[in-house]
Amino acid sequence: MSSTDTTSKPVPMDVQFECQQNLITFMGHFDMDEFQAMEAYLAPDAVWVRADGVLHGPQDLRAWAAKRQPGILVRHVLSNFRCRAISDTEVHVDSYAMVFRKDMQPGDKTPASMAGPVLMGRYEDVMRNVNGRWLIAHKSVQLDFKLV
């Protein structure tokens, strides 16, 4: 089913809300370098397609986080969530993402200086119902704008 297909059955509002809140919380933990807390929002077989590679499951997230450069200050602004049912147990969620980033140097303090968002794009997430919770089964990003 293409991401532009709008013929699927409606997604109940409580499911939409949980999916959106889980995606917001997941990225909020990312912004705060709370990588272990992010794992609670991933399905065991989750795939996260990132600009710097593909992560498979919580174990790849742990390995990626262990190698991440320290001092990165990042904030994600998420909006325009659109949900559509794939099946009774999977929901596709499209959203817009604007990302601000600053590579902090030792001694730098917030508020950080900035030139504007470093990118703007769209997240495509597939949320799966796992034991009554809507978890991220697949996450990818499509970049529409990038700071040059």
Side-chain angles (χ1 to χ4, degrees), residues 19-89:
C19 289
Q20 292 172 21
Q21 289 304 303
N22 286 352
L23 291 167
I24 290 168
T25 302
F26 179 81
M27 294 313 300
H29 286 308
F30 182 90
D31 289 351
M32 296 294 117
D33 293 336
E34 299 167 348
F35 303 114
Q36 186 174 359
M38 294 170 67
E39 294 180 23
Y41 298 90
L42 293 174
D45 60 344
V47 175
W48 186 3
V49 181
R50 297 177 40 83
D52 60 355
V54 179
L55 305 180
H56 297 271
Q59 66 282 359
D60 277 5
L61 175 60
R62 279 184 230 116
W64 175 88
K67 294 186 282 187
R68 187 169 190 246
Q69 170 189 331
I72 298 174
L73 178 64
V74 65
R75 296 295 182 266
H76 291 76
V77 179
L78 306 176
S79 68
N80 296 54
F81 291 89
R82 296 163 312 281
C83 300
R84 65 177 172 78
I86 297 172
S87 69
D88 289 340
T89 59

Side-chain angles (χ1 to χ4, degrees), residues 1-146:
M1 186 181 294
S2 76
S3 63
T4 57
D5 183 1
T6 58
T7 60
S8 65
K9 67 181 180 176
V11 178
M13 290 303 293
D14 62 324
V15 172
Q16 288 187 51
F17 183 76
E18 183 178 347
C19 289
Q20 292 172 21
Q21 289 304 303
N22 286 352
L23 291 167
I24 290 168
T25 302
F26 179 81
M27 294 313 300
H29 286 308
F30 182 90
D31 289 351
M32 296 294 117
D33 293 336
E34 299 167 348
F35 303 114
Q36 186 174 359
M38 294 170 67
E39 294 180 23
Y41 298 90
L42 293 174
D45 60 344
V47 175
W48 186 3
V49 181
R50 297 177 40 83
D52 60 355
V54 179
L55 305 180
H56 297 271
Q59 66 282 359
D60 277 5
L61 175 60
R62 279 184 230 116
W64 175 88
K67 294 186 282 187
R68 187 169 190 246
Q69 170 189 331
I72 298 174
L73 178 64
V74 65
R75 296 295 182 266
H76 291 76
V77 179
L78 306 176
S79 68
N80 296 54
F81 291 89
R82 296 163 312 281
C83 300
R84 65 177 172 78
I86 297 172
S87 69
D88 289 340
T89 59
E90 289 191 324
V91 172
H92 184 274
V93 182
D94 286 305
S95 61
Y96 293 152
M98 186 170 19
V99 180
F100 297 84
R101 176 183 165 146
K102 170 83 176 188
D103 293 350
M104 303 291 277
Q105 301 302 315
D108 284 352
K109 296 184 182 340
T110 57
S113 62
M114 62 181 220
V118 294
L119 65 87
M120 178 140 187
R122 293 166 279 132
Y123 277 123
E124 288 194 29
D125 293 283
V126 174
M127 306 296 286
R128 182 181 308 134
N129 190 309
V130 178
N131 300 321
R133 293 188 61 226
W134 289 93
L135 303 178
I136 300 166
H138 192 274
K139 183 173 200 63
S140 62
V141 65
Q142 174 67 41
L143 299 182
D144 294 320
F145 302 94
K146 186 174 181 180

